[in-house]
Amino acid sequence: MHFTSEQRLDDGVLEREFTLGEIPGILWTPASTSAPFPLILLGHPALGLRKMYPRLLGRARHSAAEGIATATIELPGSGDRPRWPAAEQARADLRRAMGAGDPVSDEIVDALVLPLVDKAVPEWQAALDALLSLPEIGGPVGYSGGVISIGIRLAVVEPRIVAAGLFAGSFVPRAMFEEARQVTIPLHVLLQWDDEGNDRQAALDLFDAFSSKEKSLHANMGGHTGVPQFAGDAAAQFFTRHLK
């Protein structure tokens, strides 16, 4: 891990950009001196860190106020990372189907999501290795938001992640339902009831598939970007309970 920039924000949060090989990322640590801090990995959709930065920063500030560090990395094929033609083709096929009003086929969903999960999860694990080697990061670790299938895979294969907050707002391949049955860590799942890009029944079926003894589903009216502020507060309380 190589830090490339550092700035102290107005609320005292320390923001450091880094690279891990070819992978860009950002680490935010609280202003307090009570290190080492717990850590939340901030997931996000494959839109690029530059576009997602304002929302990620808001989540990072919220966590920092609770004494929790946060970090994120650029997803494969996104932002300034090398183009990934197969992913671009899958996204084009998705746009074409949705633009024509056609059902989104299992083949399109599989092509869109499964290769991304296979590539992204080992990168998240490598980032976690590097982050936990820093003296100011001590764990425990949570995962929050982003592509829900990435969160599912990480919850299954990464024992250092002890709790996850998942956003039921992305397509889920049928194969991921079997992986969901292997998830046993505490879960806080957010569902926007009127999400135009999400199959509500599939999201409910996915929640039912999780094997976690502690799992809660928080459904709110509104579309994909209409998550109410109190829903974010509830997610923060979930992580404070499990990481602090």
Side-chain angles (χ1 to χ4, degrees):
M1 175 178 283
H2 173 64
F3 287 105
T4 58
S5 71
E6 176 179 314
Q7 64 171 330
R8 184 73 65 176
L9 305 181
D10 53 10
D11 55 0
V13 173
L14 180 62
E15 177 184 278
R16 286 175 286 176
E17 296 186 6
F18 64 83
T19 56
L20 187 68
E22 67 169 16
I23 307 168
I26 309 172
L27 170 64
W28 293 274
T29 47
S32 77
T33 58
S34 58
F37 302 109
L39 175 68
I40 298 175
L41 303 176
L42 297 182
H44 53 89
L47 300 175
L49 284 184
R50 295 180 191 278
K51 184 171 183 178
M52 293 303 302
Y53 176 81
R55 290 167 61 184
L56 290 165
L57 177 59
R59 292 160 64 191
R61 288 183 188 271
H62 208 149
S63 297
E66 299 294 325
I68 300 173
T70 50
T72 191
I73 57 173
E74 188 73 86
L75 291 175
S78 295
D80 295 328
R81 295 190 61 180
R83 289 183 56 207
W84 185 6
E88 293 179 358
Q89 181 62 55
R91 287 193 286 266
D93 291 343
L94 174 66
R95 289 192 297 269
R96 186 160 43 250
M98 295 183 72
D102 295 334
V104 178
S105 69
D106 289 345
E107 290 76 13
I108 291 176
V109 173
D110 287 354
L112 182 72
V113 179
L114 293 178
L116 177 63
V117 173
D118 289 342
K119 283 180 175 286
V121 167
E123 294 182 351
W124 275 112
Q125 290 182 290
L128 185 54
D129 290 341
L131 291 161
L132 288 177
S133 72
L134 300 173
E136 63 269 35
I137 306 296
V141 181
Y143 176 86
S144 173
V147 178
I148 194 169
S149 293
I150 292 177
I152 292 169
R153 175 72 58 81
L154 279 168
V156 172
V157 304
E158 182 46 73
R160 294 172 293 185
I161 294 176
V162 302
L166 304 177
F167 181 43
S170 54
F171 292 102
V172 181
R174 293 183 184 276
M176 296 306 302
F177 280 74
E178 186 56 41
E179 294 195 36
R181 295 183 179 92
Q182 303 173 51
V183 175
T184 58
I185 62 174
L187 296 177
H188 180 103
V189 182
L190 180 63
L191 171 64
Q192 287 298 103
W193 202 249
D194 305 303
D195 191 335
E196 59 280 358
N198 188 42
D199 183 332
R200 182 194 303 161
Q201 188 57 54
L204 296 173
D205 292 343
L206 181 65
F207 180 79
D208 191 50
F210 292 125
S211 296
S212 304
K213 291 182 179 179
E214 180 190 334
K215 60 178 181 178
S216 58
L217 178 67
H218 299 253
N220 295 285
M221 304 303 292
H224 188 82
T225 59
V227 180
Q229 179 61 46
F230 64 78
D233 295 340
Q237 292 167 7
F238 166 80
F239 281 114
T240 299
R241 187 166 71 251
H242 287 287
L243 303 184
K244 298 284 286 187

